[in-house]
Amino acid sequence: MKKSEEPKAVSSVGPVTREILPGVVVCKDAESVALTAARYFVEWAWQAIGQDGRFNVALSGGNTPATLFGVLASPEFRGQVDWGRVEVFWGDERAVPPESKESNYGMARRELLIRVPIPGGNVHRMEAEKPNIGRAAQDYEDLLREKLPLDSRGFPRFDLIFLGLGPEGHTASLFPGVRGTRETSRWVSTPLVPKLGAKRMTLTLPVLNAAHRAMFLVSGAEKAEILYTVLAGTAEPPLPAQLVRLPDGERIFLCDEAAAKLVLDEIAAKGEFTGKKDAVGAGKKVKGKH
Ligand code: 6PG
């Protein structure tokens, strides 16, 4: 595997984080989100490996996790994980070949997997580029059945699933109003996403909700509106990200201040988070008046 430029070393002192709401943790910026997520990864990997001998983790796609992958591959972090006991899966994948720049697997391979001593047999990509994507989804389901323990409802239970948050409330490749988003029995589905004009392969909601932990990584001002809406939980019908609720696990939103701005503003203005956005507007006005 080709070695290219070494990732930047990161400081050993952890970034300041604050839990502003149950399961909502805010850090200063995107790098702090990545550093904090890497620390959680190391801690939870040790826990799972200590308990079960394995750490089963599903990675998210898109842009946000790239910084996390770089931190995990850094000299400071890569030595803290027993990569031989880490099994890497994906929450979703685009219907593109692994070498495509659109490939979630491809990005993780470049930023992380070629930089850490993880056995090739521990890396389980979604072969969403296959002509028969339905068959490939069934194969992935069979793989999960072989590799993962089941929860009390008979769904595969990951130790950790990383998730992103799309501008309209999608997560993994579960998009609002798209067939398959409310799937209740299958573990892996292949929705055709009209706005993309393309198919995706994705873990289904029951699998996301069966996890031990699901961690949303959310950074940037462009996510402030949707994060507020998802945390308010008032959208009807509920947005896919809203439907990620773990009855026997922990859901964590790890965000930066820019993404959490509207929530932070409301808490500053009203002393609490009500999820009724107009309050924020008023808050701001109040400030103006003074
Ligand atoms: C994908 C993802 C998707 C992603 C969100 C957020 O394949 O696109 O898995 O769910 O996490 O779209 O993407 P960004 O991190 O790029 O904003």
Side-chain angles (χ1 to χ4, degrees):
M1 286 190 184
K2 187 169 61 41
K3 292 225 23 93
S4 55
E5 135 264 339
E6 196 62 37
K8 198 158 50 44
V10 289
S11 71
S12 60
V13 181
V16 177
T17 65
R18 50 200 164 118
E19 186 160 6
I20 61 168
L21 294 169
V24 182
V25 177
V26 176
C27 311
K28 188 159 65 52
D29 53 23
E31 182 164 324
S32 310
V33 166
L35 195 54
T36 305
R39 291 172 184 285
Y40 280 123
F41 184 101
V42 169
E43 184 193 327
W44 295 334
W46 275 98
Q47 249 177 39
I49 292 169
Q51 272 157 20
D52 318 314
R54 288 243 157 266
F55 180 53
N56 294 308
V57 58
L59 304 180
S60 53
N63 302 316
T64 306
T67 318
L68 162 64
F69 297 161
V71 171
L72 282 172
S74 68
E76 184 192 353
F77 276 85
R78 68 171 172 248
Q80 296 184 42
V81 176
D82 179 355
W83 294 100
R85 294 180 173 280
V86 176
E87 302 269 351
V88 173
F89 301 82
W90 273 261
D92 72 322
E93 185 58 279
R94 293 94 182 259
V96 295
E99 56 283 351
S100 157
K101 66 177 181 22
E102 290 301 307
S103 165
N104 289 340
Y105 162 78
M107 188 272 276
R109 183 177 181 280
R110 280 190 307 279
E111 303 300 331
L112 173 64
L113 301 172
I114 61 172
R115 301 167 187 272
V116 295
I118 188 166
N122 290 23
V123 177
H124 312 288
R125 78 176 183 87
M126 289 178 162
E127 300 181 325
E129 80 282 7
K130 287 265 176 76
N132 185 341
I133 192 172
R135 174 71 256 164
Q138 186 53 58
D139 292 346
Y140 208 70
E141 203 160 297
D142 297 345
L143 174 75
L144 298 179
R145 200 177 295 285
E146 179 203 325
K147 291 277 181 187
L148 270 75
L150 299 182
D151 78 344
S152 56
R153 296 169 191 79
F155 290 103
R157 184 165 168 81
F158 281 93
D159 295 301
L160 172 61
I161 299 182
F162 282 114
L163 293 169
L165 179 59
E168 75 307 62
H170 84 258
T171 192
S173 282
L174 302 170
F175 286 78
V178 173
R179 210 173 57 72
T181 294
R182 301 305 291 268
E183 173 65 50
T184 54
S185 59
R186 297 192 51 204
W187 299 1
V188 184
S189 71
T190 57
L192 171 60
V193 184
K195 75 173 226 178
L196 304 172
K199 281 214 160 186
R200 290 276 185 102
M201 191 184 292
T202 184
L203 298 179
T204 59
L205 261 177
V207 176
L208 301 184
N209 290 338
H212 189 132
R213 291 187 178 96
M215 176 170 268
F216 285 86
L217 303 178
V218 190
S219 57
E222 72 280 5
K223 298 287 174 75
E225 287 279 348
I226 192 61
L227 181 64
Y228 184 101
T229 304
V230 167
L231 294 177
T234 49
E236 263 315 316
L239 299 168
Q242 250 177 271
L243 296 167
V244 177
R245 294 200 167 283
L246 283 60
D248 310 321
E250 208 182 342
R251 179 189 74 170
I252 302 146
F253 286 86
L254 185 54
C255 338
D256 64 8
E257 285 171 3
K261 185 170 183 337
L262 294 180
V263 178
L264 290 167
D265 283 356
E266 180 168 312
I267 294 171
K270 294 189 65 176
E272 61 170 349
F273 177 64
T274 65
K276 299 189 183 65
K277 193 173 286 162
D278 55 3
V280 175
K284 263 201 214 87
K285 269 195 235 72
V286 172
K287 237 187 256 105
K289 198 157 36 170
H290 293 319

